[in-house]
Amino acid sequence: MRLTDAEWVVMEAVWDGVAVRARDVLERVHAQTGWSYSTVKTQLTRLVEKGVLQEGRDANAATYDARITRDEARRTALRSLLDAAFGGRVGELVQHMAAAEHLSAREKRALGELLRGDEDPRR
């Protein structure tokens, strides 16, 4: 399950709520995207077809709930990037990111602790 950039935008809006309606998603993403209601509905339909969202009903309105967590989607996206750009080698990705991006002293310390196994990376 690979998400497009547009699908990530929709999923972020869905993950922020529970049993969201298309109008809820539109309210959350319109300022960022300028999308119309029909564009949001199209994205939601595609995500249901992919099995990423589950569609339900609340009175006359369709509601949507995520079938995957944000962390699951991130893992899949990262694995895809890792395989495509770094031949699946995590060390090369970390080295590239550390060299290409400015890390604060705090981020460097946290990365060192993580690599030594001193800290839970989700904290």
Side-chain angles (χ1 to χ4, degrees):
M1 163 278 328
R2 290 180 70 172
L3 299 177
T4 66
D5 291 344
E7 289 168 343
W8 273 101
V9 170
V10 172
M11 288 305 296
E12 288 294 342
V14 172
W15 284 317
D16 287 342
V18 176
V20 298
R21 298 169 300 138
R23 290 255 178 242
D24 301 325
V25 174
L26 180 62
E27 288 173 12
R28 291 176 183 156
V29 305
H30 183 72
Q32 174 187 358
T33 64
W35 290 343
S36 68
Y37 179 82
S38 62
T39 300
V40 169
K41 281 293 286 181
T42 298
Q43 291 296 328
L44 290 166
T45 299
R46 287 180 183 159
L47 288 163
V48 169
E49 290 169 356
K50 279 186 167 184
V52 177
L53 289 180
Q54 178 175 319
E55 185 175 0
R57 304 267 340 142
D58 181 20
N60 290 332
T63 60
Y64 301 90
D65 285 300
R67 296 186 70 200
I68 63 168
T69 66
R70 186 180 272 123
D71 280 346
E72 289 169 328
R74 285 176 176 165
R75 269 193 300 279
T76 299
L78 185 56
R79 174 49 60 189
S80 178
L81 172 66
L82 185 64
D83 289 344
F86 297 94
R89 294 179 295 276
V90 174
E92 286 191 22
L93 169 66
V94 172
Q95 289 171 357
H96 175 80
M97 293 303 296
E101 301 294 323
H102 173 72
L103 298 177
S104 68
R106 180 175 182 226
E107 290 170 324
K108 288 177 184 177
R109 217 174 15 262
L111 182 57
E113 290 171 0
L114 177 64
L115 293 173
R116 287 189 303 277
D118 296 343
E119 186 176 307
D120 183 340
R122 291 167 288 195
R123 277 200 263 164

